[in-house]
Amino acid sequence: MEKIVLQLNGLDCAHCAEKIRDAVEKLVGIEKAEMNFMSKKLYVTAAPDIKKDLVYDNIIGTIKNIEPDVEPVELGAKPAAGTVLLILEGLDCAECGEKIRSYAEAMNSVEKAELNFLTKKLTLVTAPSADEKRVIFTLENFIRAIEPDVKVISGQAALDYKAERPAEENEISRLMTARLAVTAVLFAVGLILREGPYAMWIFLAAYAVIGTEIVAKAAANILKGRAMDECFLMTVATVGAFIIGEYPEGVAVMFLYQLGEMFQSFAVRRSRKSISQLMDIRPDSANVKNHDEIVTCHPEAVSVDDIIVIKPGEKVPLDAEIISGSTTVDSSALTGESVPVKAEKGDVVLSGSVNVSGLIEARVIKEYGESTAAKILELVENSAAKKAKTENFITRFAKVYTPCVVGAAVLLAVVPMIIEGGFSSEWLYKALSFLVVSCPCALVISVPLSFFGGIGGASAKGILVKGGSSLETLAKCRRVVFDKTGTLTTGTFSVTEISAVNMSEDELLKLAAYAESVSNHPVAQSVMKRWGKEVPSDISAEEIAGKGVKAEVSGKVILAGSVKLMDENGIRDVPSVKGAGTVVYVACDGVYAGYIRISDTVKKDSAAAVGQLKKSGIETVMLTGDRKEAAEAIASEMGVDSFKAELLPGDKVTELEKLMADGKITAFTGDGINDAPVLMRSDVGIAMGGIGSDAAIEAADVVLMTDEPSKINEAIKIAKKTKSIVTQNIVFSLGVKGIILILTALGFTTMWIAVFGDVGVAVIAVLNAMRARK
């Protein structure tokens, strides 16, 4: 199955975005289409055995048919020729920027043009035979004609350019601001001369300034057979107001509508801007050491085992192991933790973090596509495409709501006129007001924006949520199930007790180290680390699966392992040792010699995390493969409600399914590759530690970039807050619209109030949605 990712430049209407997604998904040869309105990306999956070339033109045609002003650009496609980077310094008008980009892409020598308005970068992919200088010259002439204040920077100067953060006031289109100002002046003059002979013409001029664009879009959509959109509704309502002589209200409705759209667009851009700041972890370049020369290149061009040089203040471009130098690393963009940590030779530094103090050289351990920064970017950018049930409901609701209200408006105008037997401007006025309220934009925009804000807010704290559906489910979580090792504990084993019989502790540790030297098990490694000395080279040993090790050295037979190993070899007087940790029993030449306890260290905030969850009314359960005594000790220390021990990975799935049988939304938290099946089976899978198992992260719905269990409660709080904001927007939007519709039908409201019911409610809902980002 081939996948196509399209950047839909110029897409600012959430309702239109859903229309595009729905229409594309219905095309022959398309299996699925997902829309991320916030990043303006459309993800299309072709049906099996369908080549991209067979459906690509139909997809582009469908998009342009629905939204002619939208410019789809395919992402991830290999350019056929060279790339030209231009900096449009002084570009403050998004609309003008889109005109420039569209003009550039329409040029014969240009195959693709992408504009990043935030950084003012225009990237052109030119045809093989293109003259780059001529392309730049032609484009500069066009830019000079429409935006004389914009300076075009090209060549090496463009590569070295450091973009300044654009001022907030420049985010609002200058053209729209001017149109609103002219309309306001004409409207005021019209009101003053309302009784004069030229009043109608003044109001008509004001309407032409502010409403021509909307009327033109409505006419174009009608010709394409799509009447039930916002432009059509506003056009009918305002033109109708002019027909019945309500000139001021006709202008006022269009003016307030455009003003509301501007504020709404501003709010959406602010939200996108906050997410783009969050995504600032993307490294721009890497300094690769090639013998004695340093070559600067894109991170994607660097291979595993290449040596990179990272200077103070630079972003770490790829996951790498330090081989020279020491520094402190700021990983707050990845983990949400603000305190820099020390890093020296042998430590791994993650891409997206910042080298704070020292010059270091590091060996690349992962390609860019598999690096931490790339994974985070992919998770967050794709998250909005995975819609929550509430989002899907609102999408379906909007398709029914608008036609129903339009039908009610028609009946409100026609039925009374039939009953009264003649034309009635009063009932037509009520019907037109009905039309103004009928657009569901407040819901269509604010609901996905709320989820996207919540996802962004969580990401800023080092919690990656894979979509609105995961966030919505997490908000309903009533039970959290923990794996033990690596989740509630550090997964780092160490010797915590040595109990010798008829010999010194050092002698017992030596016997155990000789036996365990042949094993790679974490328990064996802990014994070897504690011994810290060389072992003989003539050791003959064998591992006995699940029981321990039998070794021969210098004529002695050593057993090290479980009580079962002792029993099978006839070792007597072996005590039953209680308490946490793994116990390694040791015998030498058939005589019990003592035991060594290996314990896993409990994480500092584990008990507090469990306590926070229980305080929130969430049940806590621990599932582990460790022995019962060790699990019981940890469970008691942590305060979890219940636990199950001595479980194989498959047993964990079975136990989880038993727990989930009562219908409670259940989250499972784990970190290892063995946890992947359980993560996938749970209602919400939470992977602990962004640098843990790739399989666990892939299977999870939520990824915690740190190993702190307390982040689980924080993630649930964010999810609940986001869900609360979504509910507020739905209740507020539908409630206000419902009240206004009833009052309008009864004749207690005017078209001005109806405008508030549409545009005002939408702006308030969008502003409320932006709170989720915090």
Side-chain angles (χ1 to χ4, degrees):
M1 288 183 287
E2 290 202 54
K3 291 190 176 181
I4 303 169
V5 182
L6 296 172
Q7 180 78 44
L8 305 186
N9 293 317
L11 180 66
D12 292 314
C13 168
H15 194 49
C16 306
E18 180 53 33
K19 281 184 180 180
I20 290 172
R21 187 208 65 78
D22 188 51
V24 170
E25 192 168 65
K26 289 177 180 177
L27 291 174
V28 176
I30 300 301
E31 184 173 275
K32 185 171 66 173
E34 294 178 326
M35 176 68 74
N36 184 331
F37 173 64
M38 294 308 302
S39 63
K40 304 183 184 181
K41 288 180 181 176
L42 177 66
Y43 301 86
V44 183
T45 303
D49 302 325
I50 297 293
K51 296 295 183 183
K52 182 181 77 173
D53 295 344
L54 297 176
V55 294
Y56 186 80
D57 289 342
N58 285 342
I59 294 171
I60 301 299
T62 300
I63 294 169
K64 298 296 286 185
N65 189 42
I66 294 173
E67 279 291 304
D69 296 332
V70 167
E71 294 294 335
V73 176
E74 185 181 2
L75 302 181
K78 293 182 180 179
T83 300
V84 177
L85 175 65
L86 302 175
I87 302 297
L88 307 185
E89 191 174 58
L91 180 66
D92 296 320
C93 168
E95 187 175 338
C96 302
E98 183 54 31
K99 285 182 180 178
I100 293 169
R101 193 208 63 78
S102 298
Y103 177 85
E105 194 162 69
M107 294 172 65
N108 292 332
S109 300
V110 177
E111 295 188 346
K112 186 168 67 175
E114 294 180 4
L115 174 66
N116 185 328
F117 179 69
L118 208 68
T119 59
K120 305 175 185 177
K121 291 182 179 179
L122 178 65
T123 305
L124 309 178
V125 176
T126 58
S129 59
D131 182 337
E132 291 187 3
K133 290 184 178 180
R134 189 173 185 82
V135 169
I136 296 172
F137 177 76
T138 305
L139 193 55
E140 280 183 327
N141 286 335
F142 174 77
I143 293 171
R144 196 177 295 114
I146 67 166
E147 279 289 297
D149 297 332
V150 171
K151 179 184 176 183
V152 179
I153 301 174
S154 59
Q156 188 60 42
L159 295 173
D160 298 335
Y161 183 80
K162 297 294 183 182
E164 297 180 359
R165 190 177 299 278
E168 290 184 6
E169 60 268 22
N170 288 332
E171 292 184 17
I172 301 175
S173 168
R174 290 178 178 177
L175 180 60
M176 179 54 70
T177 304
R179 286 164 60 190
L180 287 168
V182 171
T183 303
V185 171
L186 290 173
F187 182 75
V189 172
L191 288 178
I192 295 171
L193 304 176
R194 188 168 186 174
E195 303 302 325
Y198 301 109
M200 184 192 76
W201 296 105
I202 295 173
F203 283 122
L204 194 60
Y207 185 84
V209 172
I210 199 66
T212 301
E213 176 190 7
I214 301 300
V215 174
K217 283 184 179 180
N221 287 339
I222 290 172
L223 292 175
K224 295 173 184 176
R226 296 191 308 274
M228 294 297 177
D229 69 348
E230 199 168 23
C231 293
F232 170 79
L233 298 174
M234 286 298 158
T235 298
V236 171
T238 52
V239 170
F242 267 85
I243 291 173
I244 61 175
E246 297 291 343
Y247 312 131
E249 294 202 11
V251 175
V253 166
M254 189 61 79
F255 176 84
L256 292 174
Y257 168 72
Q258 290 279 46
L259 182 65
E261 285 290 293
M262 187 178 72
F263 279 117
Q264 192 171 281
S265 179
F266 171 75
V268 171
R269 282 198 298 269
R270 283 293 301 275
S271 183
R272 282 180 176 147
K273 184 177 178 181
S274 67
I275 294 298
S276 69
Q277 290 170 352
L278 176 69
M279 291 294 91
D280 199 33
I281 63 171
R282 189 189 302 276
D284 296 320
S285 61
N287 300 318
V288 181
K289 189 173 183 179
N290 186 8
H291 300 294
D292 294 330
E293 185 183 3
I294 304 296
V295 179
T296 301
C297 60
H298 194 279
E300 291 181 353
V302 182
S303 302
V304 173
D305 291 332
D306 280 354
I307 305 302
I308 56 175
V309 178
I310 311 167
K311 302 173 185 176
E314 288 185 343
K315 285 182 194 150
V316 178
L318 300 104
D319 294 356
E321 179 185 348
I322 298 176
I323 60 172
S324 173
S326 63
T327 185
T328 52
V329 177
D330 179 4
S331 59
S332 58
L334 304 178
T335 65
E337 301 299 324
S338 57
V339 180
V341 295
K342 188 176 180 180
E344 51 193 20
K345 185 177 179 180
D347 291 336
V348 172
V349 287
L350 301 177
S351 56
S353 55
V354 177
N355 180 17
V356 176
S357 55
L359 176 71
I360 57 174
E361 292 184 5
R363 180 181 60 82
V364 175
I365 58 175
K366 288 182 181 179
E367 293 181 352
Y368 177 74
E370 296 298 318
S371 68
T372 302
K375 285 184 176 180
I376 293 175
L377 288 165
E378 183 180 5
L379 281 174
V380 177
E381 288 180 355
N382 295 343
S383 61
K386 298 176 181 178
K387 292 186 176 181
K389 290 181 179 178
T390 305
E391 291 181 83
N392 290 324
F393 164 74
I394 291 302
T395 300
R396 294 193 301 270
F397 174 81
K399 291 179 180 179
V400 176
Y401 167 79
T402 303
C404 287
V405 176
V406 171
V410 173
L411 292 175
L412 190 62
V414 173
V415 173
M417 292 184 191
I418 293 174
I419 294 173
E420 294 176 3
F423 176 79
S424 170
S425 61
E426 178 187 352
W427 288 106
L428 182 58
Y429 181 83
K430 291 178 182 180
L432 294 173
S433 299
F434 238 64
L435 288 178
V436 173
V437 191
S438 64
C439 188
C441 277
L443 293 174
V444 173
I445 294 176
S446 67
V447 170
L449 189 60
S450 300
F451 280 113
F452 198 78
I455 291 168
S459 299
K461 294 181 178 293
I463 302 166
L464 305 183
V465 185
K466 295 183 181 179
S469 57
S470 300
L471 198 69
E472 188 173 49
T473 307
L474 189 62
K476 303 173 186 175
C477 181
R478 294 295 175 267
R479 179 191 290 122
V480 174
V481 180
F482 296 94
D483 172 49
K484 180 180 77 69
T485 306
T487 303
L488 292 175
T489 64
T490 61
T492 304
F493 294 87
S494 58
V495 175
T496 55
E497 183 184 358
I498 301 176
S499 177
V501 177
N502 299 325
M503 64 176 66
S504 67
E505 291 184 358
D506 195 56
E507 183 69 19
L508 177 67
L509 184 62
K510 180 177 74 171
L511 292 174
Y514 284 4
E516 297 286 11
S517 64
V518 299
S519 174
N520 290 320
H521 192 279
V523 169
Q525 297 299 312
S526 300
V527 172
M528 293 301 297
K529 184 177 180 181
R530 179 64 178 266
W531 174 241
K533 301 175 184 178
E534 296 291 330
V535 297
S537 58
D538 60 341
I539 296 174
S540 173
E542 64 170 325
E543 285 193 72
I544 303 169
K547 297 175 184 176
V549 181
K550 182 178 181 180
E552 291 186 24
V553 57
S554 302
K556 294 181 179 180
V557 177
I558 305 170
L559 297 173
S562 67
V563 70
K564 288 182 180 179
L565 181 67
M566 301 294 118
D567 290 341
E568 288 179 2
N569 287 272
I571 308 300
R572 298 180 180 179
D573 302 322
V574 178
S576 177
V577 180
K578 304 293 183 182
T582 299
V583 175
V584 178
Y585 295 95
V586 182
C588 182
D589 291 333
V591 179
Y592 175 68
Y595 70 84
I596 297 173
R597 190 191 301 273
I598 312 295
S599 299
D600 189 2
T601 309
V602 175
K603 290 180 181 177
K604 293 180 180 179
D605 69 338
S606 289
V610 172
Q612 290 168 357
L613 291 169
K614 293 175 71 173
K615 190 175 180 181
S616 301
I618 296 174
E619 179 188 352
T620 55
V621 181
M622 184 179 76
L623 302 180
T624 178
D626 207 346
R627 63 192 183 90
K628 186 176 180 181
E629 292 83 359
E632 187 173 17
I634 293 293
S636 176
E637 183 179 350
M638 295 296 98
V640 295
D641 295 315
S642 61
F643 73 94
K644 290 284 183 180
E646 300 176 0
L647 301 173
L648 297 173
D651 298 332
K652 289 183 182 180
V653 175
T654 303
E655 290 297 330
L656 182 71
E657 288 176 340
K658 289 178 182 178
L659 289 168
M660 294 171 64
D662 62 5
K664 282 186 180 179
I665 299 297
T666 301
F668 179 85
T669 307
D671 74 314
I673 190 167
N674 291 336
D675 295 324
V678 210
L679 288 166
M680 295 183 71
R681 179 62 188 88
S682 61
D683 295 312
V684 184
I686 303 175
M688 177 74 72
I691 57 173
S693 161
D694 288 345
I697 293 171
E698 187 68 28
D701 302 294
V702 179
V703 179
L704 308 182
M705 291 305 296
T706 66
D707 287 313
E708 300 167 282
S710 56
K711 292 277 188 182
I712 299 169
N713 190 57
E714 192 169 8
I716 293 174
K717 281 186 175 181
I718 291 171
K720 287 182 176 179
K721 182 68 176 176
T722 303
K723 190 67 169 65
S724 172
I725 290 174
V726 169
T727 303
Q728 290 167 15
N729 281 339
I730 291 173
V731 172
F732 173 72
S733 300
L734 293 180
V736 172
K737 282 179 178 286
I739 292 170
I740 292 176
L741 286 171
I742 294 170
L743 293 177
T744 299
L746 297 175
F748 292 117
T749 61
T750 65
M751 200 175 286
W752 296 67
I753 299 298
V755 171
F756 171 76
D758 176 41
V759 180
V761 168
V763 171
I764 292 172
V766 167
L767 292 175
N768 188 45
M770 290 178 68
R771 292 194 303 118
R773 177 67 179 84
K774 302 296 182 182

